[in-house]
Amino acid sequence: MFREARQIVLDACHELADIGFLPGTGGNVAFRASSDVIAITPSACDYYTMDVDDICLVELATSKQVFGQRRPSVELGIHSRLLTYRQDFHASIHTHQPVASAITLLQRSLPIDDADDRAQLGSVAPLIGYAPSGTGFLARAFGKGLRREASAYLLKNHGIVCGGASMPQAIANVGRLERAAKRYLLARLTPGLSSQIRDLVVRSLSS
Ligand SMILES: [Zn+2]
């Protein structure tokens, strides 16, 4: 059942894990398999031992699981809200990627400075207020914070969510958000910082 959609989710997990954006079992990925069913990663499962049959299928409107032995990701509510709100999106990604997640500690929305990135992400990645991960509180806060023009969101003290019309586009948006977060941090390094420390930060942010 919808094996191709489940394979797309699995391949995306490997791609994101390979670049360090899905540390441990953190983060999750969803893909629209049909008008009313989404494929989504299972909860707390290692991405490299995960099999295509571990990817769950869930009804978008009811959250009822229709395929898979494992429990769907605890962030199902976030993905289903994004994919319901944005009918033009087919893919939704939540990560704990290093720099953009660090930005969420600053407790402010992230302006997107690059014109190409703005065309894809919107002019700002809105900050969603804090609620514990995997809870209905977080899913509801996310639902309230959705903006028509935004494809990327910061979850306060937690991580990020990006959507896209396709899985490659959603993955590209995740990368765009990370680069925008790096540029934002670099631009705010105080001039008083010793050049040694500044070089160290620039090197680590550029790697
Ligand atoms: Zn998370």
Side-chain angles (χ1 to χ4, degrees):
M1 193 180 189
F2 295 122
R3 186 182 173 89
E4 193 181 336
R6 289 184 282 115
Q7 187 68 50
I8 287 170
V9 169
L10 184 65
D11 292 346
C13 289
H14 290 161
E15 191 172 338
L16 291 163
D18 283 349
I19 56 173
F21 281 13
L22 295 179
T25 60
N28 24 78
V29 176
F31 184 75
R32 195 188 299 278
S34 72
S35 58
D36 52 359
V37 172
I38 61 170
I40 185 164
T41 42
S43 178
C45 190
D46 183 278
Y47 296 107
Y48 290 112
T49 58
M50 197 183 283
D51 184 75
V52 68
D53 287 334
D54 291 325
I55 307 295
C56 308
L57 293 172
V58 176
E59 282 182 0
L60 191 53
T62 63
S63 297
K64 182 181 161 217
Q65 185 167 359
V66 293
F67 177 88
Q69 298 296 315
R70 293 175 176 272
R71 221 157 35 88
S73 161
V74 293
E75 305 297 8
L76 168 64
I78 284 182
H79 296 288
S80 59
R81 275 169 174 80
L82 181 60
L83 293 173
T84 299
Y85 182 74
R86 290 292 298 263
Q87 289 294 318
D88 56 325
F89 280 179
H90 279 73
S92 167
I93 298 171
H94 163 54
T95 79
H96 301 160
Q97 60 197 64
V99 182
S101 298
I103 287 276
T104 72
L105 301 172
L106 300 177
Q107 311 198 355
R108 63 184 68 166
S109 297
L110 176 68
I112 307 299
D113 57 346
D114 177 83
D116 286 346
D117 291 346
R118 265 204 306 277
Q120 297 301 322
L121 302 180
S123 58
V124 66
L127 179 73
I128 304 298
Y130 179 76
S133 60
T135 64
F137 297 111
L138 179 58
R140 281 192 290 279
F142 181 71
K144 275 190 207 151
L146 284 167
R147 299 282 175 270
R148 181 57 53 189
E149 66 281 4
S151 303
Y153 296 85
L154 306 179
L155 305 179
K156 185 172 165 185
N157 300 355
H158 178 175
I160 68 95
V161 179
C162 278
S166 65
M167 189 60 83
Q169 193 182 86
I171 292 173
N173 285 347
V174 161
R176 288 176 187 279
L177 182 64
E178 188 73 353
R179 289 191 294 276
K182 286 180 180 179
R183 288 194 302 271
Y184 183 84
L185 277 188
L186 283 173
R188 271 148 197 82
L189 290 177
T190 64
L193 213 58
S194 86
S195 60
Q196 246 178 338
I197 292 178
R198 193 177 196 289
D199 288 350
L200 193 67
V201 175
V202 169
R203 265 208 309 280
S204 78
L205 285 176
S206 306
S207 62

